[in-house]
Amino acid sequence: GGGTGSVLVRLLRSDLRLRGILMDVPAVAGAAEQQMAAAGLTGRCIVVPGDMFASVPAGADVYLLMRVLHDWPDERAEAILRNCHQACGDKGRVIAVDMEVGARDVRGLTLASDMMMSLLVGGCERSETETAGLFAAAGLRVTRRIELRTPYVAVEARPR
């Protein structure tokens, strides 16, 4: 679910010590490789074609899911988190960034996105409690929540 890599490019540029692995379906992974090359980051980023419902690359310190979980119904979102949990071992972290139902949202973006996700792909925006439930079902415990630009929230979790 790494897309073409725009978020990873920004992260890698922000700290020269970081290295990244981007995974997405094969058709998207090809575009991501081009983006990494154009950004001069091929030496610090590996692009892996794959299926996040089957597995994710093992051994990373952090698994970042940026606007991924809201695309999927609960059972599929849990499968993604379970695969991240399995891949990160006992010491890794999983960070999910999505809109949150109940977060301060002066423009009504969460409701509009919730309706779009539900109608188009079967996903949804979730409340803090619903998100914590997804992580728990995948064997992860939420350790931190960071409110970002309204109405986005970053949820960090670690293996129990």
Side-chain angles (χ1 to χ4, degrees):
T4 58
S6 59
V7 171
L8 187 54
V9 166
R10 281 187 269 155
L11 287 171
L12 294 175
R13 284 183 173 162
S14 74
D15 188 333
L16 296 176
R17 296 170 297 176
L18 295 178
R19 302 180 68 73
I21 301 169
L22 183 142
M23 187 178 115
D24 212 310
V25 295
V28 178
E33 282 184 320
Q34 293 174 358
Q35 171 117 340
M36 291 302 151
L41 295 169
T42 52
R44 294 179 44 218
C45 180
I46 299 166
V47 176
V48 177
D51 176 1
M52 65 188 166
F53 297 109
S55 68
V56 298
D61 296 323
V62 177
Y63 289 80
L64 175 62
L65 303 168
M66 184 80 172
R67 295 187 316 258
V68 170
L69 296 180
H70 78 150
D71 289 344
W72 306 102
D74 287 352
E75 55 279 352
R76 300 286 277 171
E78 284 176 25
I80 295 166
L81 290 171
R82 205 173 305 109
N83 286 335
C84 289
H85 175 203
Q86 193 169 48
C88 77
D90 293 337
K91 296 181 181 168
R93 295 179 289 161
V94 179
I95 300 173
V97 178
D98 275 304
M99 290 185 186
E100 184 176 273
V101 173
R104 192 169 53 89
D105 182 5
V106 294
R107 297 184 299 184
L109 296 174
T110 306
L111 177 59
S113 181
D114 188 41
M115 288 190 309
M116 279 187 4
M117 292 296 103
S118 177
L119 292 170
L120 297 176
V121 294
C124 64
E125 303 302 342
R126 295 175 175 88
S127 69
E128 179 179 352
T129 302
E130 291 167 330
T131 299
L134 284 179
F135 279 93
L140 298 161
R141 66 179 168 80
V142 174
T143 54
R144 186 164 54 151
R145 292 179 68 257
I146 302 168
E147 292 192 19
L148 304 171
R149 187 178 293 155
T150 301
Y152 287 94
V153 174
V155 177
E156 177 189 75
R158 294 178 181 268
R160 283 190 230 163

